[in-house]
Amino acid sequence: MGVRLLGTGSYVPEGVVTNDHLHQRFGFDSDWIVKRTGILERRHAAQHQATSDLCHEAATRCMNAAGVKPRDIDLIVLATFTPDMSFPSTACLLQDRLKISAPAIEIEAACAGFLYALITGAAYVVSGASDLALIVGGDTNSRVLNPSDIKTYPLFGDGAGAVLLTRGTPEQGILAYSMGADGSGGDLLSRPAGGSRMRLSPEVLAAGLHYMHMDGRAVFRWAVSILCDTIQDVLTRVNLTADDVDLYIPHQANIRIINAAIDVLHIPRAKVYNNLDRYGNTSAGSVPIAMDEALAEGKLKSGQKVMLSGFGAGLAWGTALVQL
């Protein structure tokens, strides 16, 4: 507690890729995509754009909205699993472009990345190690997807979101959180090639091992379970019920995952924010983009409680109940 959300910002590329576009280009069944995922369109970065560009735009919008100057920020925590390059980190690239004199930490926890970054940044603020932390989540998923794979390619989009954290009143901050990992499920969602284990080669490229690979059914079952369990764990920790939460912002992975989990928890769908139909799964950008839009639309206000949840490759997850 004692952490205040000072501002938010988000950015999605201008390039809109509709289901009809995917049908015309790749032969994917548009109705199948909607029925299985709830996604109508997603955004893809332009050829000249990389993850740092998306994060820079989101961070700039966040800083402008909060009236914050680069000199005011003393910490950057950036979450992504699609960095511009292996090194330097995308966090350092962002730090340089924003002209911020501060440590720049990069976290890779895939679709749980933003929650990992948010909880980490909040811990710095609470401890007094940071007065104003910039927390960013962003991914350019279109660069790691196999265009011939209908099980993954239509699901993901590109985008980034950012928040600023500073000291607040004792009533503000993270009421409770659940954060964890289960590496035994790592092969369920992975990009095998391109690291130190499997270097890129003509044979590896021909086999498509540089693309994302996912066991869709297994990931679906796990995601529903972890979303239900962590939300309930967090509520139990602070002796609250699902009705006490003003808005739920789950990771925008698949509408069937979200609906299955909230139905188990008896959460009214009207209390669950959803922009999945417009952006698809933007991984680390998912939750902060939704937060920024929910605040802009007046669906989330100061003093309210919001449940944030991210889950994905690792396997990794993070759920936090935040008092604004």
Side-chain angles (χ1 to χ4, degrees):
M1 300 298 291
V3 180
R4 179 164 60 102
L5 185 71
L6 186 62
T8 64
S10 63
Y11 172 75
V12 292
E14 295 180 1
V16 179
V17 180
T18 65
N19 291 344
D20 286 341
H21 174 85
L22 295 182
H23 174 70
Q24 294 172 14
R25 185 176 179 188
F26 302 113
F28 294 165
D29 187 334
S30 301
D31 292 337
W32 183 92
I33 295 172
V34 176
K35 181 179 179 181
R36 301 290 292 184
T37 70
I39 300 169
L40 300 176
E41 60 187 37
R42 70 288 296 147
R43 303 295 183 95
H44 283 183
Q47 287 300 313
H48 69 277
Q49 290 180 309
T51 298
S52 67
D53 298 308
L54 310 187
C55 292
H56 178 264
E57 186 63 34
T60 300
R61 294 181 180 186
C62 178
M63 293 164 61
N64 290 340
V68 165
K69 302 298 183 183
R71 64 175 178 270
D72 301 324
I73 297 171
D74 58 17
L75 176 68
I76 297 172
V77 186
L78 186 149
T80 187
F81 77 151
T82 56
D84 287 25
M85 59 194 80
S86 295
F87 56 89
S89 72
T90 303
C92 286
L93 297 175
L94 179 65
Q95 175 267 328
D96 178 60
R97 288 187 63 181
L98 292 174
K99 303 305 178 187
I100 293 173
S101 178
I105 302 170
E106 187 150 323
I107 292 177
E108 182 183 336
C111 301
F114 178 75
L115 266 297
Y116 267 56
L118 182 74
I119 294 166
T120 299
Y124 272 82
V125 172
V126 167
S127 71
S130 171
D131 290 324
L132 183 58
L134 175 64
I135 314 299
V136 186
D139 277 300
T140 314
N141 292 303
S142 60
R143 302 291 159 78
V144 299
L145 299 172
N146 185 345
S148 65
D149 184 2
I150 191 174
K151 295 181 179 179
T152 59
Y153 195 79
L155 304 184
F156 293 85
D158 304 336
V163 302
L164 283 162
L165 298 181
T166 190
R167 292 169 186 166
T169 68
E171 292 76 30
Q172 293 175 311
I174 299 177
L175 296 168
Y177 71 87
S178 171
M179 185 169 69
D182 179 9
S184 67
D187 60 347
L188 299 181
L189 184 52
S190 67
R191 186 189 183 201
S196 60
R197 175 68 62 188
M198 187 184 298
R199 294 182 297 175
L200 295 177
S201 67
E203 294 76 19
V204 165
L205 293 174
L209 296 177
H210 59 303
Y211 289 130
M212 179 189 297
H213 290 256
M214 180 172 67
D215 183 337
R217 290 186 178 181
V219 170
F220 182 95
R221 290 193 298 269
W222 171 79
V224 172
S225 176
I226 203 68
L227 186 54
C228 286
D229 290 349
T230 56
I231 288 176
Q232 188 58 62
D233 286 347
V234 168
L235 290 172
T236 300
R237 178 69 178 179
V238 288
N239 297 315
L240 295 176
T241 69
D243 291 337
D244 295 318
V245 179
D246 295 289
L247 188 68
Y248 292 81
I249 301 182
H251 167 47
Q252 305 289 297
N254 185 313
I255 195 63
R256 292 170 62 235
I257 292 174
I258 295 171
N259 286 343
I262 64 175
D263 287 349
V264 169
L265 296 169
H266 304 292
I267 298 170
R269 295 188 181 184
K271 296 183 72 172
V272 182
Y273 192 82
N274 174 28
N275 60 11
L276 177 74
D277 57 328
R278 291 179 285 129
Y279 304 134
N281 182 344
T282 53
S283 298
S286 170
V287 172
I289 291 172
M291 281 186 68
D292 184 45
E293 292 194 343
L295 285 163
E297 294 168 11
K299 295 181 178 179
L300 192 58
K301 301 176 182 178
S302 178
Q304 292 186 323
K305 296 180 181 67
V306 57
M307 184 76 76
L308 310 174
S309 187
F311 46 86
L315 299 167
W317 63 89
T319 295
L321 180 58
V322 179
Q323 177 85 39
L324 296 179

